Amino acid sequence: MKQIWFSVCLLTGSLLYSNIAPAQQTASGALLQQMSSASRSLSYELAYISISKQGIESLRYRHAVIDKLPLGQLLHMDGPRREVLQRGGGISYFEPGLEPFTLTGDHIVDALPAIVYADFDRLAKYYDFISAGSTRISDRPCEVIRVVARDGSRYSYIVWMDVDTKLPLRVDLLDRDGETLEQYRVISFVVGADVQNVMQGLIKANLPPLLSLPAADNVKLSWSTGWLPAGVDEVARNRRKLPNVSVPVESRLYSDGLFSFSVNVSPAGSGAGQQYYRQGRRTIQTEVRNGNEITIVGELPPATAKRIADSISFKVSP
């Protein structure tokens, strides 16, 4: 009798999980999408700290939309003044010792964690969105959601989202052992018309000219990757010569919409060999095979970078 009840409980539990888990995934995904929409549409100012292996930075980010024109300002609060401004589709950079310049883009990279701008409908095919309850950040009630790759080949995120505004108040990037690699944590924030008034002057500000970047060539490469994490696609490729390097380097850039990395191949020089280095979220994995030096650079755990490097195959010349 006990065995029968045990079997019934297992069956019932599995049926309940199969119904609850997709519902939780959908609800958490909807909340993450609301976070992305709020970050792009609201007028707000965030004072926050960014904690990584390199240290702690204090920053201020302002965002507003005026007459459908997105405006943004990212200011580093310590040391020499470093500022990034957004007006529409132009992102202008002001760095000490460099001529100011403008690039095209739809948001300021690194103003908010990359996950804020992700396409969650796409990520839902390869990542689990797991509700982790609620808590308080900066004296505000927050929903907590974990974002984890199903195949375990990438880093994961924990997001603390303000219940009322849906703005991200804390985001942790974790490695596969659960160690925190980076943390974004809001100290204080303001939402509303006051921020719009502050940003109004950016509409007519004199910004540096747009840099024209060379068009990417559709080059044919003699190698390919045999294995990639689920959902990863090639987004660019090129063949170029680097300063002080006589032979060209062939590269493919890959992304899953959340993390990106490049695979680089060049003829191996003397003394080249297998090397591995990781600093925070970025890994560099180098190995030599068949006279070629293969280097993986990007936002990957070392074991994943190694597996990609080992999977690369070269076409044999006829």
Side-chain angles (χ1 to χ4, degrees), residues 8-305:
V8 170
C9 288
L10 282 178
L11 178 60
T12 304
S14 65
L15 290 173
L16 286 173
Y17 178 81
S18 65
N19 288 327
I20 292 172
Q24 185 189 83
Q25 172 88 350
T26 302
S28 297
L31 283 174
L32 290 168
Q33 190 60 58
Q34 289 176 44
M35 174 187 68
S36 182
S37 298
S39 300
R40 294 174 184 270
S41 62
L42 295 180
S43 296
Y44 56 90
E45 176 183 305
L46 304 173
Y48 68 94
I49 56 173
S50 176
I51 306 171
S52 67
K53 301 301 181 181
Q54 288 72 50
I56 301 175
E57 283 190 287
S58 301
L59 302 103
R60 185 186 69 207
Y61 177 55
R62 290 171 174 158
H63 179 273
V65 178
I66 301 176
D67 296 329
K68 298 184 179 181
L69 181 70
L71 304 169
Q73 180 201 40
L74 176 66
L75 181 66
H76 293 256
M77 303 296 287
D78 303 321
R81 186 179 178 89
R82 298 165 57 201
E83 185 177 21
V84 186
L85 299 176
Q86 176 184 8
R87 184 170 65 194
I91 312 295
S92 300
Y93 295 82
F94 300 85
E95 296 275 349
L98 296 176
E99 283 293 320
F101 61 93
T102 299
L103 299 175
T104 57
D106 65 355
H107 66 271
I108 298 175
V109 176
D110 293 336
L112 297 177
I115 193 170
V116 174
Y117 303 104
D119 179 349
F120 293 103
D121 287 337
R122 175 185 175 185
L123 293 185
K125 300 174 185 176
Y126 314 105
Y127 286 80
D128 286 324
F129 308 143
I130 305 166
S131 175
S134 59
T135 187
R136 288 169 60 249
I137 296 289
S138 297
D139 199 27
R140 301 279 298 188
C142 291
E143 299 278 358
V144 185
I145 299 173
R146 295 180 61 222
V147 179
V148 183
R150 293 195 187 110
D151 62 6
S153 64
R154 279 150 284 188
Y155 300 130
S156 61
Y157 277 100
I158 304 180
V159 178
W160 286 257
M161 184 191 320
D162 182 54
V163 169
D164 294 331
T165 65
K166 300 300 185 288
L167 291 174
L169 298 189
R170 176 178 166 181
V171 178
D172 286 8
L173 176 69
L174 309 178
D175 69 9
R176 297 198 299 178
D177 297 323
E179 179 185 354
T180 301
L181 299 175
E182 295 178 7
Q183 183 182 102
Y184 151 96
R185 181 189 282 263
V186 170
I187 305 302
S188 65
F189 73 105
V190 177
V191 179
D194 288 345
V195 182
Q196 275 196 338
N197 295 334
V198 172
M199 297 294 286
Q200 190 80 38
L202 183 53
I203 296 175
K204 296 183 179 179
N206 186 22
L207 298 179
L210 181 68
L211 277 185
S212 58
L213 300 177
D217 297 327
N218 187 20
V219 297
K220 292 184 179 180
L221 306 180
S222 60
W223 53 273
S224 60
T225 50
W227 178 86
L228 293 169
V232 168
D233 295 317
E234 180 181 326
V235 296
R237 64 171 65 181
N238 61 54
R239 181 186 293 114
R240 67 195 187 281
K241 285 191 174 182
L242 300 179
N244 303 319
V245 179
S246 58
V247 294
V249 177
E250 298 181 345
S251 300
R252 283 183 162 99
L253 177 65
Y254 295 94
S255 177
D256 67 353
L258 186 55
F259 299 107
S260 61
F261 61 92
S262 65
V263 180
N264 309 277
V265 175
S266 62
S270 60
Q274 182 167 313
Q275 301 177 42
Y276 146 69
Y277 175 73
R278 191 185 88 174
Q279 185 175 47
R281 70 164 64 203
R282 289 175 178 83
T283 293
I284 301 176
Q285 172 76 40
T286 299
E287 64 179 64
V288 174
R289 193 164 68 249
N290 299 332
N292 295 287
E293 185 172 291
I294 303 164
T295 304
I296 315 294
V297 181
E299 303 165 323
L300 291 172
T304 302

